[in-house]
Amino acid sequence: MLALAAPAHNLTRAAGTLASAFHARATTATIRDRLINVSARLARSARRLTLQLPERRPWSEDLAQLFSTVHGPPAL
């Protein structure tokens, strides 16, 4: 069990660091509540699934920053 807990903790901390300066110092529970446990809705249209995220969350910019950092081109 510890073999799975350590990488999960490290990935959570890395996600917090990439999201914002606030989340870099936040506890693991705060990162989990604000970035990982996002209430979203699956919408189906033309045989495609689309994930619709809420727009008015106070930390939606941090989630967008994390997404763009992870899915952007690699830094040189």
Side-chain angles (χ1 to χ4, degrees):
M1 190 66 155
L2 184 62
L4 297 176
H9 174 76
N10 290 336
L11 287 172
T12 303
R13 299 303 306 165
T17 302
L18 292 173
S20 68
F22 169 77
H23 288 103
R25 295 175 315 213
T27 64
T28 305
T30 302
I31 296 170
R32 191 172 50 242
D33 288 341
R34 293 186 179 183
L35 296 179
I36 297 173
N37 296 336
V38 176
S39 59
R41 190 170 63 118
L42 277 175
R44 187 174 302 199
S45 174
R47 297 183 188 173
R48 282 192 126 162
L49 287 176
T50 305
L51 187 63
Q52 296 179 345
L53 297 170
E55 295 178 2
R56 296 185 196 148
R57 293 181 64 159
W59 44 85
S60 62
E61 295 87 20
D62 298 339
L63 186 61
Q65 171 68 28
L66 174 63
F67 184 80
S68 65
T69 303
V70 171
H71 289 287
L76 299 177

